[in-house]
Amino acid sequence: MNDRPTPPWPRSRMSREQPPNPRLTVWPTGQRDPAAQLRDAGCVPGTDTDVDRIPPAVAAHAIATYTRPGDLVLDPDCGAGTVLVEALRAGRHALGLTPRRQSWALARANVTTAKAAGAWRDGSVLDARPPLLASVRAAGLVGRVGLVLAALRPIPNGTDEQDPSPDPDHAAAIDRLATTLTFCEPLLRSGGYLVVVARPRRNPNGSLIDVTTPLRAAGTSAGLAPVDRCIALTAGLRGRHLVTRAALDERRAAARARAAGVPTALTAHHEVLVFQLAHEAELAAAAAAAIPWPTEHDVTQAAINRAEYHGWERAA
């Protein structure tokens, strides 16, 4: 099992073929139950009310794998701030945005508590929506972010996002995240990563919703290339067996489904998709396959013959 990011695909310079599915890796991030993870991270009471948070163990693993000390970690919809806490504890700069007043208060409290416990002190939470990242106020972040770590947060049906709904609008949530990815793409530094974490959700008939396909499409449309697909376990590993840590409401829903004759397994993981800037992914793939990347002269001459080199414009 290898958790390190790898080049996405080798292809010839002249090929238009699409990349295959990124290699699947598994993160052993469920060895501690959710409550123990929050205690270990020093999170304040009430953090568990953010049910769509990125678990601290998942955030810590992503930060350790895809960043280096001193990098800037951005969570464009940070909720209660678990990503920010783990970034500070790992010696990274941290910036989070949230449009929800309750989440902003929790995130601020968690960041303050982490700093008081001796974590890295450069962490901030803004009471703002992700579109702020496209404004002039975000100009200082362009090309500086080492890791964007974002959760797929469902949008409740209706107009009030403060009132949870048992039937959230998943398509709208993916569309909103796609827009956020577009805002974040210019902020990534050279070699930076954008990681999306999605908690499994079910359709009314009990089947799992496919979030991987539309999320990959959203990243691609934002100018990003998928380089890894990971399974972040929320279940503990006990030898060859998984110990599920599903919440009580999920267990009850599974029991009702089984009683109705629809066998339903408890979820044991979060989906994780890892992206890089598209032109950098192509450069890495070319280097891994020992394919010489075209020079500016090659591109100029090729234009005469109507040949194309994908990614050159961004690389230049």
Side-chain angles (χ1 to χ4, degrees):
M1 182 172 65
N2 183 4
D3 290 339
R4 300 301 302 176
T6 56
W9 74 95
R11 66 178 184 178
S12 78
R13 297 181 303 183
M14 303 296 291
S15 172
R16 286 181 175 274
E17 74 175 277
Q18 294 299 312
N21 289 329
R23 186 177 61 177
L24 179 66
T25 58
V26 179
W27 297 356
T29 49
Q31 297 298 87
R32 302 275 284 169
D33 63 69
Q37 290 185 35
L38 294 178
R39 288 196 303 270
D40 293 345
C43 293
V44 301
T47 303
D48 58 339
T49 61
D50 179 13
V51 295
D52 295 305
R53 67 186 180 274
I54 296 178
V58 175
H61 191 99
I63 291 166
T65 303
Y66 296 110
T67 68
R68 57 199 183 201
D71 268 352
L72 172 60
V73 177
L74 168 67
D75 187 341
D77 194 352
C78 68
T82 50
V83 169
L84 309 182
V85 170
E86 292 303 326
L88 295 175
R89 283 160 49 89
R92 276 67 166 172
H93 306 280
L95 174 63
L97 281 69
T98 179
R100 308 170 188 84
R101 286 188 176 275
Q102 182 180 6
S103 295
W104 179 81
L106 282 171
R108 283 291 299 270
N110 277 321
V111 166
T112 300
T113 301
K115 292 178 182 179
W120 190 271
R121 302 191 64 82
D122 188 8
S124 303
V125 185
L126 300 181
D127 182 8
R129 295 180 181 273
L132 171 72
L133 299 174
S135 73
V136 68
R137 294 174 59 186
L141 294 179
V142 173
R144 290 187 53 205
V145 177
L147 173 66
V148 176
L149 184 51
L152 176 62
R153 293 181 174 273
I155 299 176
N157 277 327
T159 58
D160 185 6
E161 291 194 16
Q162 303 293 337
D163 183 19
S165 167
D167 187 23
D169 189 339
H170 300 290
I174 291 174
D175 288 343
R176 183 173 67 176
L177 183 59
T179 303
T180 299
L181 300 187
T182 302
F183 295 150
C184 292
E185 189 266 356
L187 309 183
L188 287 176
R189 66 162 172 78
S190 178
Y193 292 88
L194 189 149
V195 176
V196 177
V197 179
R199 184 162 65 95
R201 295 183 180 275
R202 298 184 181 276
N203 291 303
N205 64 3
S207 62
L208 285 172
I209 297 173
D210 176 18
V211 296
T212 303
T213 301
L215 285 177
R216 284 192 64 188
T220 301
S221 67
L224 301 163
V227 295
D228 248 342
R229 179 189 172 191
C230 309
I231 295 298
L233 291 179
T234 55
L237 287 170
R238 300 291 184 271
R240 295 178 178 270
H241 302 282
L242 291 176
V243 180
T244 57
R245 306 189 188 281
L248 181 60
D249 59 343
E250 185 179 350
R251 292 180 182 277
R252 287 174 174 171
R256 289 194 297 269
R258 286 194 295 269
V262 183
T264 302
L266 297 173
T267 57
H269 72 283
H270 283 18
E271 288 276 356
V272 182
L273 291 177
V274 184
F275 300 91
Q276 274 193 299
L277 296 173
H279 71 278
E280 291 193 350
E282 291 193 9
L283 288 170
I291 298 172
W293 197 251
T295 65
E296 185 174 3
H297 175 73
D298 294 333
V299 174
T300 304
Q301 293 296 77
I304 299 174
N305 299 320
R306 296 185 179 181
E308 296 182 13
Y309 291 96
H310 304 291
W312 169 263
E313 292 82 3
R314 291 297 308 272

